[in-house]
């Protein structure tokens, strides 16, 4: 089983749609969780951190479920500019060192 | 402007010819790391550094070396590159530890022939 798993997509959605991505992780000792956005051939950039209580930033909502070991990202009212690959990132101490694990990403294409 | 700068952006080299990819950050971050990104495999951590003179292996350290002599710089060294090291490489820095936001450089596309 991969340490961090994401559906690779692509998710093709019309403008204005709501889309949700899930990500599962295997290490129950993981401490921090993030969603990054990566545009084609560009560097990843932080979209939002994910907290146990859930957090919202405009059209984006992230949730963490520690019991089931998954995190989610909800995008409401999709814009063309949301087209990108969304990376789930999990970090924490593992085997005595700081470990950062990226999912392989979920590709989103918003269609006019 | 706060940034992470990598050089070169593109590099084609031959098997066995030593090369260095530089990485520099101007945010006074403690934590720096190197990743490689390959299709279907995502980003994988090569090495990381918690602070000056403190480095540690990530998931895929074989064939790579790093050093952290100054806080701002974290070069990646390939002593004897091989074709399986052809990849897109990213350097990143974080204020402290891997639990804080990572800022990435623009990437270095390396081809080893």
């Amino acid at each position: 089983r991969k340490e961090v798993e994401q559906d690779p997509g692509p998710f093709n959605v019309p403008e204005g749609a709501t889309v949700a991505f899930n990500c599962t992780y295997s290490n129950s000792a993981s401490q921090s969780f993030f969603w990054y956005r990566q545009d084609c051939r560009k560097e990843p950039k932080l979209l939002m951190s994910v907290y146990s209580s859930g957090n919202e930033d405009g059209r984006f909502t992230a949730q963490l479920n520690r019991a089931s070991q998954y995190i989610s990202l909800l995008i409401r009212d999709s814009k063309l500019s949301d087209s990108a690959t969304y990376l789930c990132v999990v970090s924490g101490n593992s085997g005595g060192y700081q470990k950062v694990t990226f999912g392989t990403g979920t590709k989103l294409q918003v269609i006019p | 402007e706060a940034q992470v700068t990598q050089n070169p952006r593109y590099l084609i080299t031959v098997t066995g010819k030593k090369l260095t990819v530089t990485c520099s950050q101007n945010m006074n971050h403690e934590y720096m790391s190197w990743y490689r990104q390959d299709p279907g495999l995502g980003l994988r951590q090569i090495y990381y550094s918690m602070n000056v003179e403190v480095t540690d292996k990530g998931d895929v350290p074989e064939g790579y070396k790093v050093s952290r002599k100054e806080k701002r710089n974290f070069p990646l060294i390939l002593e004897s590159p091989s074709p399986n090291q052809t990849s897109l490489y990213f350097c990143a820095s974080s204020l402290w530890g891997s639990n804080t936001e990572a800022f990435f450089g623009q990437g270095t596309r390396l081809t080893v022939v």
Side-chain angles (χ1 to χ4, degrees), chain A residues 2-3 31-32 34 36 38 41-46 87 91-93 96-105, chain B residues 31 35 37 40-43 45 48 50 56-59 88 90 97-102 104-107 109:
Chain A
K2 286 184 180 178
E3 293 185 56
Q31 298 167 311
S32 299
F34 308 90
Y36 280 74
Q38 185 174 26
R41 297 179 180 275
K42 296 287 184 73
E43 72 274 23
K45 293 185 179 178
L46 181 69
L87 306 173
S91 76
N93 290 324
Y97 71 101
Q98 291 240 339
K99 187 173 174 66
V100 181
T101 305
F102 282 74
T104 52
Chain B
Y31 185 92
Y35 298 87
Q37 186 172 32
L41 297 177
L43 280 109
Q45 193 175 45
Y48 67 93
M50 297 290 290
D56 226 327
K57 296 177 181 178
D59 290 321
L88 177 59
F90 288 104
S98 62
N99 295 329
T100 52
E101 177 183 0
F104 285 82
Q106 292 181 291
R109 188 165 290 280

Side-chain angles (χ1 to χ4, degrees), chain A residues 25-82:
Chain A
Y25 61 95
S26 61
N27 182 2
S28 59
S30 297
Q31 298 167 311
S32 299
F33 309 87
F34 308 90
W35 283 102
Y36 280 74
R37 170 193 169 128
Q38 185 174 26
D39 294 295
C40 189
R41 297 179 180 275
K42 296 287 184 73
E43 72 274 23
K45 293 185 179 178
L46 181 69
L47 178 66
M48 57 199 308
S49 302
V50 188
Y51 306 118
S52 297
S53 55
N55 48 306
E56 187 173 312
D57 183 3
R59 299 182 292 109
F60 299 85
T61 300
Q63 301 250 325
L64 166 64
N65 185 320
R66 284 190 183 271
S68 301
Q69 294 182 207
Y70 78 83
I71 68 175
S72 63
L73 177 67
L74 183 77
I75 305 175
R76 290 180 297 278
D77 188 24
S78 299
K79 313 290 185 192
L80 295 176
S81 57
D82 294 334

Side-chain angles (χ1 to χ4, degrees), chain A residues 11-31:
Chain A
F11 283 58
N12 298 313
V13 303
E15 271 187 289
T18 295
V19 61
F21 307 138
N22 284 330
C23 166
T24 59
Y25 61 95
S26 61
N27 182 2
S28 59
S30 297
Q31 298 167 311

Side-chain angles (χ1 to χ4, degrees), chain B residues 21-85:
Chain B
V21 184
T22 63
C23 174
S24 180
Q25 51 95 2
N26 63 0
M27 296 170 278
N28 202 37
H29 283 172
E30 303 281 336
Y31 185 92
M32 297 186 72
S33 55
W34 276 101
Y35 298 87
R36 59 178 289 173
Q37 186 172 32
D38 302 288
L41 297 177
L43 280 109
R44 293 177 293 167
Q45 193 175 45
I46 303 171
Y47 268 95
Y48 67 93
S49 170
M50 297 290 290
N51 211 325
V52 175
E53 302 293 3
V54 181
T55 63
D56 226 327
K57 296 177 181 178
D59 290 321
V60 287
E62 294 79 20
Y64 305 95
K65 286 174 57 178
V66 293
S67 68
R68 188 91 181 273
K69 293 183 169 52
E70 308 163 278
K71 197 176 204 179
R72 62 183 291 126
N73 295 323
F74 190 45
L76 179 69
I77 302 155
L78 284 71
E79 294 272 5
S80 182
S82 61
N84 65 11
Q85 293 179 297

